[in-house]
Amino acid sequence: MTEPHEDGMPDGLTGPERAVWRAFRVGRTCDLTEGIAELDDPFGGREWGEERSVRADVVALLLLAGPPARSGRVAALKLRGVRITGVLNLAGGTIGPYVELHGCRFDGEVVLPEARFGTLRMVECALPRLEAARLHTEGDLHLPRCRVRWGIRLTDAQIGTDLLVNQIQVWPDRRGRAIAADGLVVAQDLQAELIETHGELSLRGANIGVSLSLRGSVLRGAQGRRALNAPQLTVERSLYLNAAWVYEDAGFTGSTTTTPPYGVTPAQGAHRKPVEFHGGVRLDDGRFGDAVDLHHARFLLDGARREEVSLRRIVTPELRFNGERPEEGRVVLNGAKVVTLIDLSTSWPGPGGLAMGGFAYENLVPYGHFPLARRLEWVAAATPEYAPEPYERLATVLRNSGEDADAREVLLAKQRRRRETLPVAGKLWGYLQDLTVAYGYRPGRAALWMAVLWAAGTVAFSRYRPIPLKADEAPAWNGPLYALDLLIPVINLGQDGYWRLEGAWQWVAAVLILLGWILATTVAAGATRLLSRG
């Protein structure tokens, strides 16, 4: 290109480039499509010739030092169906005009590190790679339905309003990352619904001003990396890792959309598409203002690689864990703090697949039927070795919600798990406490045993009249009262100590005294535990 003419257009421009230049000055869309879907598909195998080609240098010149807009118009770069040849390098530049590209092809990568835009929209474009570390936009960054062959880098980028990448498809870079967005800051929403990644989505330390949505997406880890790696992620509202209702989009072959096409009601042609994670998920130390939603989420983990859904130390008012049960791998909630846990009994993994050390929650809201027996299995799955804290946490939550009977059942289950860790003598004593009064958590059982023993003692002593130790001091013999006096320790009912038993009757009295002390001891121990828990 040579020096520009008076109208600002340089010499040496091709026909398509001249068309782009003129459209730029009036803010009009330069449309180079042919009107045939097969030929205009940016992802198809048909070559786009010189008649649709514009050099990247020309695009850069327009954006960085383009001509002024015509009188009464606003300059903007709007392209449709354009092939951009070479590397588009805008690194460090300040781009004032509005940029919107539809259905375009890039031969080389798009290089935007430390560039500043107002709004940048690239819709349904094919790119080898997008390099945009520390990119800054005052408005939106939109990349919906794009396909990127060698990954996207948005490390430390700052997006002034929304980041929208719905239905994007991205393959990994040389380090196995499809989207590297560590330290990303988005002032409002990050919408990444129905996306498909073939490498790690990395959002370490990212900060989202409103909500982050991955509804219906398919994330695949590559080269041993996780599907989603987002420790220390902050989302001011909700993180949606759930299913999406999708409709076939007649306007774009083979695609789906979250909004129904014109004339189609929500009940027609819709199907639910779960979010899928083919690899580990890491959300450690995340902070979420409203909720983490895992409704209908599907985790396909590799147990041999020790892949996990790691929610260590997250803090959120609400966790909705009601997706599909992971067949392999682990779900880790160690140190997490949740106000309300909404869960499904069939969503949790079995023994060895769940860790909940230090997991704190205040309310339980089962999604569907979740009986107490299944809830106890949930705790047992998280404690392959006995640990009292998960049982005590569950009992506290149940008691605070008014379910005292269920809370006692949980504490009884805790004592039975603890009994397995005791030596033989402790186990025997534990079995005895369990049989008699259920460790004090079923006090009615003690009264029943006492009544049975008293009845047996009454029948026995009604057939026997012992010899008084001192005839002038002994009260009138009363068999039922004597049996009760033997059973109840400490308290004297006026019968014990005045009679001399002989032979087998001495053994009967000794058995009643011994059983009375056992019942009293276990009831006292259980009452102490209940009072201390209260």
Side-chain angles (χ1 to χ4, degrees):
M1 293 179 288
T2 61
E3 292 296 321
H5 296 293
E6 293 181 359
D7 64 355
M9 185 181 295
D11 289 331
L13 296 186
T14 64
E17 291 170 350
R18 288 176 178 273
V20 170
W21 194 279
R22 287 191 291 267
F24 174 84
R25 295 194 64 190
V26 297
R28 187 181 69 244
T29 298
C30 181
D31 189 344
L32 299 184
T33 59
E34 300 183 33
I36 301 174
E38 184 179 357
L39 299 179
D40 293 334
D41 184 0
F43 315 122
R46 296 296 183 93
E47 292 289 337
W48 289 3
E50 295 299 325
E51 72 282 359
R52 299 179 66 165
S53 298
V54 175
R55 286 170 289 175
D57 289 345
V58 176
V59 175
L61 179 61
L62 284 170
L63 294 177
L64 296 173
R70 291 192 182 277
S71 178
R73 307 301 292 268
V74 177
L77 183 68
K78 300 179 181 180
L79 306 179
R80 183 180 295 274
V82 176
R83 173 192 173 200
I84 299 175
T85 62
V87 175
L88 179 59
N89 191 340
L90 301 172
T94 298
I95 293 87
Y98 173 83
V99 181
E100 183 171 320
L101 311 178
H102 280 264
C104 295
R105 285 183 183 176
F106 290 81
D107 287 357
E109 64 179 300
V110 179
V111 182
L112 307 177
E114 302 189 33
R116 301 180 70 90
F117 282 82
T119 292
L120 173 60
R121 289 191 171 97
M122 301 171 65
V123 180
E124 202 177 319
C125 294
L127 301 83
R129 177 171 172 80
L130 176 59
E131 178 65 48
R134 298 174 299 282
L135 170 71
H136 188 284
T137 70
E138 297 296 331
D140 296 341
L141 173 61
H142 288 190
L143 301 169
R145 299 198 300 276
C146 289
R147 295 186 186 179
V148 186
R149 179 59 57 183
W150 301 111
I152 296 175
R153 187 182 181 203
L154 287 168
T155 305
D156 297 319
Q158 296 189 37
I159 309 303
T161 50
D162 296 328
L163 173 58
L164 189 148
V165 294
N166 292 344
Q167 295 178 262
I168 197 171
Q169 295 183 39
V170 190
W171 284 262
D173 60 16
R174 289 175 294 179
R175 300 179 62 183
R177 294 179 300 182
I179 301 177
D182 301 339
L184 171 71
V185 177
V186 180
Q188 296 184 21
D189 289 316
L190 196 170
Q191 295 185 28
E193 299 182 356
L194 299 171
I195 74 171
E196 185 174 348
T197 61
H198 299 266
E200 182 177 87
L201 170 56
S202 183
L203 290 166
R204 295 184 300 172
N207 193 314
I208 311 302
V210 183
S211 295
L212 191 164
S213 176
L214 285 163
R215 291 186 179 98
S217 297
V218 179
L219 277 59
R220 296 181 175 89
Q223 301 177 16
R225 288 187 174 271
R226 297 176 177 88
L228 174 61
N229 186 27
Q232 299 180 340
L233 172 65
T234 299
V235 179
E236 296 298 329
R237 298 294 297 274
S238 296
L239 172 62
Y240 296 103
L241 304 179
N242 55 348
W245 287 100
V246 297
Y247 306 81
E248 293 303 323
D249 187 352
F252 182 63
T253 303
S255 75
T256 55
T257 176
T258 55
T259 57
Y262 179 76
V264 175
T265 66
Q268 296 174 330
H271 65 277
R272 184 165 52 205
K273 186 177 185 299
V275 62
E276 294 184 6
F277 298 94
H278 297 255
V281 175
R282 184 186 180 203
L283 295 172
D284 298 349
D285 301 295
R287 299 294 183 267
F288 308 96
D290 284 349
V292 176
D293 191 347
L294 297 169
H295 189 50
H296 290 292
R298 180 180 296 166
F299 301 102
L300 303 170
L301 308 176
D302 189 337
R305 295 180 181 176
R306 298 183 178 179
E307 291 178 340
E308 298 178 340
V309 178
S310 182
L311 305 174
R312 292 176 173 88
R313 300 175 299 279
I314 69 167
V315 177
T316 179
E318 187 170 285
L319 173 61
R320 304 167 193 161
F321 198 92
N322 43 13
E324 297 185 14
R325 182 200 305 269
E327 298 299 329
E328 297 185 52
R330 292 202 311 162
V331 175
V332 183
L333 287 161
N334 293 343
K337 297 184 184 300
V338 174
V339 177
T340 301
L341 175 61
I342 301 174
D343 59 349
L344 185 66
S345 63
T346 57
S347 294
W348 296 105
L354 179 61
M356 297 195 304
F359 176 38
Y361 53 96
E362 298 178 16
N363 304 297
L364 282 173
V365 181
Y367 187 84
H369 186 53
F370 205 146
L372 182 61
R374 296 296 299 274
R375 185 66 74 181
L376 290 174
E377 292 176 3
W378 173 65
V379 176
T383 53
E385 295 184 359
Y386 168 71
E389 192 274 335
Y391 289 94
E392 293 171 359
R393 169 65 59 179
L394 177 57
T396 299
V397 171
L398 292 173
R399 186 181 297 111
N400 291 341
S401 62
E403 301 177 28
D404 291 338
D406 286 348
R408 289 194 295 271
E409 287 297 322
V410 172
L411 294 174
L412 175 58
K414 185 196 81 166
Q415 292 296 331
R416 288 169 175 169
R417 282 291 303 279
R418 175 179 175 272
R419 184 174 65 207
E420 299 172 3
T421 66
L422 300 176
V424 175
K427 288 181 179 179
L428 293 176
W429 176 242
Y431 280 118
L432 185 57
Q433 291 188 83
D434 196 355
L435 178 65
T436 53
V437 292
Y439 289 95
Y441 295 113
R442 294 176 183 170
R445 185 181 292 183
L448 178 62
W449 277 107
M450 189 70 76
V452 170
L453 292 174
W454 183 31
T458 297
V459 171
F461 287 116
S462 295
R463 300 179 180 181
Y464 175 70
R465 187 175 185 84
I467 301 173
L469 295 175
K470 296 181 180 180
D472 55 340
E473 297 180 6
W477 170 250
N478 188 319
L481 193 60
Y482 183 75
L484 189 60
D485 207 352
L486 295 176
L487 278 172
I488 300 178
V490 181
I491 299 175
N492 191 337
L493 299 179
Q495 286 288 324
D496 188 22
Y498 294 98
W499 309 98
R500 185 176 68 210
L501 304 182
E502 297 178 345
W505 293 104
Q506 292 179 329
W507 289 103
V508 172
V511 169
L512 287 177
I513 293 172
L514 178 61
L515 292 177
W517 273 103
I518 292 174
L519 288 172
T521 303
T522 53
V523 168
T528 302
R529 280 194 292 270
L530 289 175
L531 290 173
S532 65
R533 296 298 183 271

